[in-house]
Amino acid sequence: MAERSTPLWEVFIRARTGLAHRHVGSVHAADATMALQAARDVYTRRGEGLSIWVVPSVAITASDPSDKDMLFEPAASKIYRHPTFYEVPDEVDNM
Amino acid sequence: MYSQALNTATGHADTSEAGTRFQTRVDAEERIEPNDWMPEAYRRTLIRQISQHAHSEIVGMLPEGNWITRAPTLRRKAALLAKVQDEGGHGLYLYAAAETLGVTREELVEQLLAGRAKYSSIFNYPTLSWADIGTIGWLVDGAAIMNQIPLCRCSYGPYARAMIRICKEESFHQRQGFEIVTILARGSAEQKAMVQDALNRWWWPSLMMFGPSDSQSQHSDASMRWKIKRFTNDALRQKFVDATVPQGHYLGLTFPDPALRYNEATGHWEFGAIDWEEFRRVLAGDGPCNRERLAARRRAHDDGAWVREAALAFAAKQGVARQREAA
């Protein structure tokens, strides 16, 4: 009999206070408690973190890389969203 | 530890529009990510290479695990335990990277246990004495680092990221091995003899870890074109020999190769012919410990079946209970 597959979890770790949790990898585990335990064993053997999140991989909705242009091009053309678009007289110094 | 350079990718240049765009991205040193378009042969090559690499880490725990209970001091035991635990972790990072290419963990494990997947030939040699543990750290992990550092720049993002993590953790492995070897080489006559014997047995298998000679490779190497691989097997092997021979001589050890000599002109250590017949035999399953290694993996997998089953059953039960609460 084929074995049932054990669910996949994405692991996020906060390295230091003040930093956001960052994706570090994934683990297989039957439930959230075991996923946390496995994430601790696999991804924090050398003091890499202060906090771990585990999220079921199936819960993640990702954008399609082939939609990249459609999704992100509009940002590239709006240069007036950047401070350097605006002219400030030299005399005004820093703004 | 590491995957052997066993893979000669056979993919032909993909001249379709998507294939050309893919190659342009690779040439521009862009990383390829899991959902990006990639040629089927690239995907297949990576699944094979990354999973073999993962299997090597997992099987690599066995020869060293053999000495955990017999490590000579608590310091050595703690270091060896940590090292073997690292190898397990490395296997898991790599399985996860392979899974991003659309293969399941269960399939990969099944391929290993059924004997259909390869793993590094080096782990089919026995660890007969404590000196072997030092020698493995020094030579096998040393060879691994040579091979793995270029993989940190592999074109496939998840593999490259796993390799960066592995390389960071790996350097302690080589240093603890060299420390063991150093202490033995400076010890009693028996200890010196023990470490020399270990070097005699591990030297050639370590050179084989870099895989067949480039001249044996009949395919144009797609792995290089795809930037999965950055250096040829022979180039990496030479680099390893050049780095390692002076370390051995420093400790007063001799290498089991009468042809070994320093070439002043090239600045390289020249070495004798490698017994590729032995390499092929061990890889095909007929090394000193192949059967034992696979049997140990199968036993561990079978013995753990009830645990996996119970954990899933428990998770399912908890899920039902939560649903009832919510209702």
Side-chain angles (χ1 to χ4, degrees):
Chain A
M1 189 189 84
E3 238 180 274
R4 269 190 303 160
S5 59
T6 306
L8 187 65
W9 304 73
E10 298 306 318
V11 181
F12 299 81
I13 290 180
R14 184 204 293 284
R16 286 200 315 274
T17 43
L19 294 184
H21 284 73
R22 193 170 166 214
H23 184 245
V24 294
S26 44
V27 292
H28 285 271
D31 61 29
T33 311
M34 294 183 79
L36 261 186
Q37 183 66 45
R40 172 209 170 266
D41 291 347
V42 177
Y43 292 104
T44 65
R45 287 193 304 284
R46 286 174 175 78
E48 288 91 337
L50 302 171
S51 161
I52 304 175
W53 288 349
V54 289
V55 179
S57 304
V58 293
I60 290 178
T61 308
S63 66
D64 186 334
S66 60
D67 292 343
K68 189 172 61 156
D69 295 343
M70 184 180 77
L71 286 173
F72 306 115
E73 191 284 328
S77 63
K78 292 174 179 57
I79 52 171
Y80 47 85
R81 282 180 172 157
H82 296 279
T84 45
F85 179 74
Y86 301 94
E87 276 182 36
V88 175
D90 287 347
E91 292 75 17
V92 174
D93 236 7
N94 291 324
M95 180 171 278
Chain B
M1 256 168 242
Y2 100 119
S3 123
Q4 196 147 28
L6 300 171
N7 299 293
T8 331
T10 51
H12 294 290
D14 187 333
T15 50
S16 68
E17 196 193 325
T20 312
R21 205 163 344 120
F22 171 83
Q23 191 59 48
T24 311
R25 291 188 61 198
V26 169
D27 291 341
E29 298 290 338
E30 265 185 55
R31 292 288 171 268
I32 306 301
E33 294 298 336
N35 293 328
D36 293 345
W37 187 90
M38 60 186 85
E40 260 324 291
Y42 177 82
R43 184 185 299 275
R44 274 200 310 276
T45 301
L46 276 172
I47 290 178
R48 205 173 57 219
Q49 175 165 340
I50 301 172
S51 64
Q52 285 174 359
H53 194 162
H55 298 326
S56 303
E57 301 282 354
I58 299 297
V59 177
M61 296 164 82
L62 298 170
E64 294 185 304
N66 178 35
W67 278 91
I68 290 175
T69 57
R70 291 174 290 162
T73 65
L74 187 57
R75 184 176 188 267
R76 295 281 180 233
K77 184 184 284 203
L80 186 56
L81 257 175
K83 179 176 191 293
V84 172
Q85 195 191 12
D86 273 354
E87 311 297 2
H90 296 175
L92 296 180
Y93 308 155
L94 289 163
Y95 280 132
E99 286 169 70
T100 63
L101 291 157
V103 59
T104 67
R105 178 76 58 96
E106 285 76 11
E107 285 171 73
L108 295 174
V109 171
E110 204 272 324
Q111 286 169 6
L112 172 68
L113 299 183
R116 281 184 281 116
K118 289 189 181 111
Y119 57 86
S120 187
S121 59
I122 195 85
F123 304 119
N124 291 315
Y125 292 87
T127 40
L128 303 179
S129 78
W130 171 250
D132 288 23
I133 298 304
T135 310
I136 286 179
W138 173 35
L139 299 182
V140 176
D141 289 289
I145 292 168
M146 281 297 168
N147 206 47
Q148 286 178 161
I149 286 175
L151 285 174
C152 295
R153 293 187 293 131
C154 164
S155 60
Y156 188 57
Y159 193 26
R161 290 192 286 276
M163 290 319 307
I164 290 170
R165 210 184 159 85
I166 290 173
C167 284
K168 268 193 209 159
E169 299 183 351
E170 199 87 54
S171 75
F172 118 70
H173 297 182
Q174 191 186 16
R175 291 176 66 126
Q176 67 90 37
F178 194 68
E179 191 184 271
I180 293 171
V181 169
T182 304
I183 301 271
L184 293 173
R186 290 175 180 165
S188 66
E190 286 89 344
Q191 286 174 316
K192 278 182 202 163
M194 187 164 83
V195 74
Q196 182 62 57
D197 170 63
L199 175 57
N200 293 348
R201 284 182 288 107
W202 288 95
W203 176 246
W204 289 109
S206 298
L207 295 191
M208 293 175 196
M209 283 176 71
F210 294 92
S213 177
D214 304 330
S215 59
Q216 301 293 305
S217 171
Q218 63 273 55
H219 310 289
S220 70
D221 205 351
S223 287
M224 293 281 247
R225 193 172 67 237
W226 287 328
K227 298 193 192 289
I228 294 173
K229 200 169 151 178
R230 300 270 176 173
F231 298 97
T232 66
N233 296 353
D234 285 337
L236 288 168
R237 185 167 16 244
Q238 186 63 54
K239 221 170 146 192
F240 172 73
V241 171
D242 289 342
T244 310
V245 169
Q247 294 165 357
H249 287 164
Y250 169 76
L251 295 177
L253 298 169
T254 52
F255 289 84
D257 178 1
L260 191 69
R261 63 175 271 280
Y262 187 69
N263 184 326
E264 294 278 353
T266 61
H268 291 300
W269 284 90
E270 289 171 356
F271 51 95
I274 292 171
D275 181 358
W276 292 115
E277 199 33 59
E278 174 180 326
F279 172 74
R280 273 184 284 274
R281 214 168 49 235
V282 174
L283 209 56
D286 212 12
C289 299
N290 295 58
R291 276 169 281 271
E292 189 185 325
R293 300 288 184 242
L294 270 190
R297 284 312 312 154
R298 287 192 192 114
R299 197 164 56 242
H301 188 77
D302 293 346
D303 289 353
W306 72 270
V307 180
R308 292 190 296 276
E309 226 168 273
L312 284 171
F314 180 74
K317 208 165 110 186
Q318 297 296 101
V320 171
R322 263 197 306 279
Q323 273 168 9
R324 226 178 262 145
E325 263 169 46

